[in-house]
Amino acid sequence: MPEDTRTEKLEAAFADEEETVVGSLRLRPFSLGTLNVCRQLDLTLFLDGEVELDDEEKQRQIVAFAWAQSAPLPEVLKALRSGETEVRIAEFEFQMDVGDLPELIKEIQRIS
């Protein structure tokens, strides 16, 4: 029977107790709340490990995840409730350091 490495990786991600520093970003630990936000933002990179996406959609999802995990939690929740996530994510994208992307992608691969 093949090992279920996806389950092991998810369990490890949920076990993180401290924030993770990725470049200039400080990401909250992956949680059930994170999964809920991923569902609300349709972040299939984190919901379906086998999904095929074009580069533009991958970038959208990476930036959305980075925003959701690093912006102040009250801001994230308010944007979700008010339907302002696209605006908040776009603002965040202008503040992101391009140099953070490689490390962010590694972190995403680790937890997804």
Side-chain angles (χ1 to χ4, degrees):
M1 186 167 153
E3 280 188 43
D4 184 1
T5 58
R6 181 166 168 74
T7 299
E8 290 174 13
K9 288 177 183 176
L10 278 173
E11 288 172 355
F14 276 110
D16 289 346
E17 294 180 19
E18 305 273 333
E19 63 185 19
T20 302
V21 177
V22 178
S24 65
L25 301 173
R26 294 184 174 281
L27 305 177
R28 282 185 289 283
F30 201 87
S31 66
L32 289 175
T34 303
L35 278 177
N36 187 30
V37 170
C38 288
R39 287 184 191 107
Q40 289 181 60
L41 297 176
D42 195 28
L43 304 183
T44 55
L45 278 173
F46 307 92
L47 302 172
D48 180 2
E50 304 299 319
V51 68
E52 289 290 325
L53 303 171
D54 63 30
D55 289 343
E56 185 177 329
E57 180 59 15
K58 282 181 192 173
Q59 180 178 322
R60 182 197 75 81
Q61 291 194 29
I62 289 168
V63 171
F65 177 79
W67 168 77
Q69 287 299 97
S70 66
L73 187 56
E75 176 186 316
V76 173
L77 296 175
K78 180 180 178 184
L80 287 166
R81 284 190 288 265
S82 67
E84 295 180 350
T85 55
E86 295 302 315
V87 171
R88 298 295 166 242
I89 292 167
E91 290 172 352
F92 175 79
E93 189 170 27
F94 278 99
Q95 300 169 23
M96 267 190 79
D97 184 339
V98 175
D100 290 346
L101 283 176
E103 286 187 59
L104 188 55
I105 290 168
K106 284 181 189 175
E107 176 64 11
I108 288 167
Q109 289 171 337
R110 181 183 79 85
I111 61 174
S112 66

